[in-house]
Amino acid sequence: MSDFRLDEQQLLLLNAQLQRTDDVLIHNCLTRTAQESKLFPIMPYLMMCFYDAYYRFPDLLREASQIISPEDMGARAREVVCGATQVTSWGTLNFYLNGRTNLIRAGMLRPEDNLEDLWFMVDFHHRFMRSYHRASGQVWALDSGDIAQSHEERQLQVFEADAFEADDALRAAAAKFTAAGTQYSFLVHCESRVGLQASGPYGLGDRRLMHTRDFTKLGECDFSWLDGVADGVTHNQLTLVLITDGVGIEVSDFGTAYTSPEAYQDQIIGVGLYTSDFLCDRYVPVGMDNAKDLTDTLNQLTEELKVATRKLYSRFAEMTNDQMVEAGIYTYFQAATVGPHLAGTYRQRDWEFIDERTRRFWPVFTEEYALDAYVDNFAALLGENAADTDYYLHPVAYGVWRRGGAVGPLPTPGRNASLVPQHVLRDHDYSLRVNAGGLADAVGTSSLPAKSTRYSFVRGKLSEDEMNAAAREYASPLFEEPWRSIDERTVKFHWQEEEVQALYRYNQEHSRLLAGQGSALRRADIDRLRRDAGERAWSDVSELGARGEVTA
């Protein structure tokens, strides 16, 4: 029996983090774009995913955390696309907390119930995010002005140096790939953005910015509906590096890149392409031998995704409404797979059923009810059942009202944070975990076909056992001392030391222009190396563009 208890310092920290999580959620819900699907019942699967997350995330992540710490998971996420992205990291905590809040509002839970689970989930997320965002020092993109800078200098220098200058053909190929990849990813993820991730922007001087766009789970992977459909997709995950001139870029906590102007494709001046996964420790160049090779590769990948998109539409057209709801739940529920994947504890059967406790809500969550329950009574904070007192003003809702000129009545008092009452410090009449018996307590059913194919990786196709064995055997000097402790602050004052030089050279091994250069590089050195290779520095490209001259 657990003897878990919170002290006052932990309780106050927990409640502050619960409220900040709610602030970030409401801000993004009220200020960011949303999409409506004519194919998938998005609102029912969104709401019911919350319950499955509440009932099962703590035990799945607790098991993985016994093998790999949240800090180590965050370190892995900094280096490659490993399943933990801005949006899936956000969803891992928020889906769980949203399930908790909705159960409280339904009268099925008290704010203090399952307190050990609650502390674990919030603590796990913040520990992971502080490590993942080590370079920026912030947990939320909102707190850094909608900048999500997860990559560090040693990787960014490679991206900057190796990107190819975009002529009309490469620029068009990059735009078509981005469009096809986005459409396909939305469909793969049941018309949600959870498979798309952006990082940045990163400054390259003057008006030039660089950002990355990740396209995840493109091939045969954790989703059974891609079995056979994605057998012709070459890469499971791809990272597109884009250098732009005169484009404003921001990245939200939903992992979405917003640009100004919205149609920015003509202002792309540089492009790079890479693949990676959680069994890699560095990005692997794709089609990066020369600019023509990259153009041809992007066009080939675009055609692969178009073929898979048509096949996937046919697959989804055969599904019943219940199966489509289940697929949507699985898509969001998979946000938490980074822990089990990295720990080598991933079992497909854990992610392919709907918990019987969630099934209780199935008849209730029609499109109409789910829309009201989430958009009106949750995101927009209409209705008073969430208010602690009549005096409470939600900081985001009140801020919108105030900046709108204080016109009309005040927003209704409401919050989604469901703070833990302080009497838990003296009165321990509450449960500690939602599943007293652990994962064995989570049982359910599925109407979707089980996964039948292998999993796609840079190293090839692996079975579940092979994948978990490779994860358990994984090792890289990037995550061992002394390299693990070399961050950008260390480099600033110790760049000349041999262990720092060795770290940079390790990152540069696959670079076509920076191999062996080490940690002494400045932007002027990158410009020189590009010119020595017969390519223009990015400052030369943008100066020519400013004068109206056509780039090569």
Side-chain angles (χ1 to χ4, degrees):
M1 184 69 178
S2 172
D3 58 356
F4 173 84
R5 293 290 185 268
L6 286 179
D7 61 29
E8 185 170 7
Q9 180 181 9
Q10 291 172 315
L11 175 63
L12 295 175
L13 176 63
L14 172 61
N15 280 337
Q17 291 176 336
L18 288 174
Q19 184 55 51
R20 187 57 189 150
T21 301
D22 186 33
D23 296 343
V24 172
L25 169 67
I26 297 304
H27 173 86
N28 281 286
C29 284
L30 295 183
T31 62
R32 297 301 175 185
T33 56
Q35 70 277 347
E36 181 182 6
S37 173
K38 298 299 184 183
L39 178 62
F40 275 89
I42 288 181
M43 296 312 301
Y45 81 60
L46 171 70
M47 291 293 289
M48 284 191 285
C49 164
F50 298 161
Y51 300 116
D52 252 34
Y54 183 79
Y55 292 127
R56 294 199 279 150
F57 274 5
D59 289 310
L60 289 166
L61 290 173
R62 190 179 283 117
E63 178 188 33
S65 297
Q66 293 172 354
I67 297 172
I68 177 172
S69 71
E71 288 80 11
D72 285 344
M73 294 181 198
R76 296 274 291 276
R78 284 198 310 269
E79 301 298 337
V80 293
V81 180
C82 68
T85 63
Q86 189 79 11
V87 65
T88 59
S89 304
W90 172 86
T92 297
L93 179 61
N94 276 270
F95 297 160
Y96 169 83
L97 292 180
N98 292 354
R100 171 178 175 265
T101 293
N102 279 285
L103 287 168
I104 291 170
R105 291 183 180 180
M108 302 175 70
L109 201 68
R110 301 174 302 171
E112 63 266 39
D113 286 339
N114 306 316
L115 189 57
E116 184 179 9
D117 281 350
L118 176 62
W119 171 262
F120 170 80
M121 288 298 298
V122 173
D123 180 62
F124 173 93
H125 176 265
H126 278 253
R127 290 169 61 189
F128 170 87
M129 290 299 291
R130 286 191 290 265
S131 177
Y132 180 27
H133 284 176
R134 180 176 77 172
S136 66
Q138 275 141 342
V139 170
W140 304 108
L142 180 62
D143 292 337
S144 56
D146 284 323
I147 296 175
Q149 296 179 327
S150 54
H151 295 300
E152 298 187 347
E153 180 190 63
R154 53 191 161 83
Q155 182 60 61
L156 295 170
Q157 286 182 336
V158 173
F159 285 160
E160 177 187 356
D162 288 358
F164 288 103
E165 181 181 341
D167 60 10
D168 288 342
L170 179 53
R171 191 177 293 110
K176 290 177 181 177
F177 169 77
T178 302
T182 300
Q183 180 188 17
Y184 176 63
S185 179
F186 266 92
L187 188 61
V188 166
H189 294 86
C190 302
E191 304 214 325
S192 76
R193 73 186 82 198
V194 74
L196 300 169
Q197 151 83 357
S199 167
Y202 305 97
L204 300 189
D206 198 12
R207 306 185 310 162
R208 296 178 297 278
L209 290 172
M210 179 170 66
H211 75 287
T212 65
R213 294 185 179 233
D214 299 324
F215 301 83
T216 67
K217 296 189 176 180
L218 304 175
E220 292 179 321
C221 56
D222 301 336
F223 298 146
S224 64
W225 49 90
L226 290 183
D227 291 354
V229 165
D231 53 355
V233 177
T234 306
H235 300 283
N236 189 37
Q237 301 189 141
L238 288 166
T239 296
L240 188 67
V241 176
L242 296 174
I243 299 175
T244 56
D245 186 16
V247 178
I249 300 167
E250 58 186 60
V251 178
S252 72
D253 283 291
F254 291 169
T256 305
Y258 295 87
T259 63
S260 179
E262 186 174 352
Y264 69 96
Q265 289 78 8
D266 289 343
Q267 290 164 267
I268 296 172
I269 61 173
V271 182
L273 185 66
Y274 300 84
T275 187
S276 63
D277 53 55
F278 64 83
L279 298 180
C280 299
D281 69 350
R282 287 165 292 180
Y283 287 87
V284 179
V286 176
M288 293 286 283
D289 288 342
N290 52 62
K292 184 179 185 305
D293 179 38
L294 180 56
T295 301
D296 292 343
T297 298
L298 286 169
N299 286 330
Q300 174 193 335
L301 294 171
T302 297
E303 290 307 310
E304 290 178 3
L305 298 182
K306 287 181 178 179
V307 171
T309 298
R310 290 193 291 270
K311 292 165 69 175
L312 187 54
Y313 269 119
S314 296
R315 173 69 53 84
F316 283 142
E318 297 171 353
M319 288 188 180
T320 66
N321 184 75
D322 278 359
Q323 286 178 320
M324 296 180 84
V325 172
E326 287 185 16
I329 293 173
Y330 295 169
T331 296
Y332 275 18
F333 190 72
Q334 286 262 346
T337 56
V338 60
H341 272 315
L342 294 180
T345 60
Y346 182 86
R347 296 172 296 270
Q348 187 71 34
R349 65 179 184 274
D350 290 336
W351 307 87
E352 283 191 335
F353 71 87
I354 306 301
D355 193 286
E356 61 184 14
R357 291 164 289 190
T358 300
R359 289 282 184 192
R360 297 176 298 177
F361 299 99
W362 213 268
V364 176
F365 280 99
T366 62
E367 286 272 19
E368 294 77 14
Y369 178 79
L371 187 66
D372 286 345
Y374 188 77
V375 176
D376 285 349
N377 296 323
F378 198 88
L381 294 169
L382 301 178
E384 299 182 2
N385 65 335
D388 293 327
T389 74
D390 287 338
Y391 298 101
Y392 180 77
L393 292 171
H394 194 285
V396 175
Y398 176 66
V400 171
W401 178 84
R402 190 184 71 246
R403 289 188 295 274
V407 177
L410 285 167
T412 55
R415 73 193 324 163
N416 297 312
S418 301
L419 305 184
V420 177
Q422 187 145 341
H423 70 73
V424 300
L425 300 177
R426 57 175 174 78
D427 179 4
H428 303 296
D429 177 27
Y430 52 83
S431 55
L432 294 178
R433 300 184 181 186
V434 69
N435 296 319
L439 288 171
D441 288 352
V443 295
T445 57
S446 174
S447 64
L448 285 171
K451 178 171 176 59
S452 59
T453 64
R454 295 157 78 86
Y455 302 80
S456 303
F457 291 93
V458 173
R459 64 176 66 182
K461 297 290 185 76
L462 301 178
S463 67
E464 181 180 300
D465 288 343
E466 291 169 337
M467 173 179 66
N468 284 328
R472 291 191 295 269
E473 294 165 0
Y474 179 93
S476 167
L478 289 176
F479 310 113
E480 300 169 359
E481 295 299 340
W483 288 359
R484 192 186 191 285
S485 296
I486 299 176
D487 59 10
E488 292 191 330
R489 268 65 63 188
T490 304
V491 174
K492 182 176 178 63
F493 296 101
H494 300 274
W495 60 269
Q496 74 280 15
E497 295 180 5
E498 182 51 39
E499 62 187 26
V500 179
Q501 295 275 9
L503 170 60
Y504 271 65
R505 293 189 189 106
Y506 188 76
N507 253 96
Q508 294 162 353
E509 278 188 5
H510 301 307
S511 172
R512 65 187 184 89
L513 295 183
L514 298 190
Q517 292 293 325
S519 57
L521 290 172
R522 298 185 179 183
R523 176 147 295 133
D525 299 309
I526 294 176
D527 291 347
R528 172 180 53 79
L529 289 166
R530 287 184 61 83
R531 291 181 183 120
D532 289 347
E535 302 178 36
R536 287 192 291 218
W538 298 115
S539 56
D540 298 337
V541 176
S542 55
E543 285 174 7
L544 289 169
R547 295 200 299 267
E549 300 180 25
V550 178
T551 59

